[in-house]
Amino acid sequence: MELPKCCKCNHKFSWRSIFRASFKFRQEIKCPECGTKIYPTMKSRQKISLMTNIPLIISFALLAFGLPFKFAILIFLSLTVLVMTLIPFLYSFVDKEEPLW
Ligand SMILES: [Zn+2]
């Protein structure tokens, strides 16, 4: 897995800058090398919103199978941390803004 690059100059973005941008409503990132504004592709946004639901789905499934609540919470929290760590790797960027759906 690799961190996304700028589509113009191939500058590799840092995990931190992508992670920070993923919390903004307009998820644009300005390339520090060439100044191009780049936007996450629709596909990567869909992938990421799916990923962020996985911890919730798994924890609910475990609860449904009779796992004690505190364990389900523990699993939910560790999966959330894992997903958050992986999110910057799932982004791919283009230099045009695409509609969300
Ligand atoms: Zn660039």
Side-chain angles (χ1 to χ4, degrees):
M1 257 194 318
E2 258 190 70
L3 283 164
K5 288 174 183 164
C6 170
C7 48
K8 283 268 167 70
C9 69
N10 265 348
H11 168 78
K12 208 170 179 181
F13 290 101
S14 66
W15 184 91
R16 240 182 100 145
S17 59
I18 297 163
F19 188 70
R20 274 214 314 257
S22 68
F23 284 103
K24 288 185 200 157
F25 177 68
R26 284 174 64 86
Q27 301 183 325
E28 55 175 47
I29 295 186
K30 202 172 170 186
C31 173
E33 278 300 305
C34 65
T36 311
K37 274 187 188 164
I38 54 168
Y39 307 88
T41 58
M42 189 174 68
K43 220 176 164 180
S44 65
R45 284 202 238 184
Q46 287 171 347
K47 208 158 54 179
I48 283 148
S49 54
L50 208 76
M51 278 290 281
T52 49
N53 286 321
I54 287 175
L56 206 65
I57 294 164
I58 291 179
S59 321
F60 269 121
L62 290 172
L63 276 177
F65 281 113
L67 195 81
F69 188 70
K70 58 180 176 185
F71 288 120
I73 288 286
L74 213 67
I75 287 165
F76 173 74
L77 289 178
S78 27
L79 283 176
T80 304
V81 171
L82 185 75
V83 165
M84 295 290 236
T85 315
L86 292 177
I87 277 177
F89 293 96
L90 299 173
Y91 272 106
S92 46
F93 291 98
V94 282
D95 59 354
K96 281 188 206 83
E97 195 168 13
E98 292 176 27
L100 191 48
W101 299 111

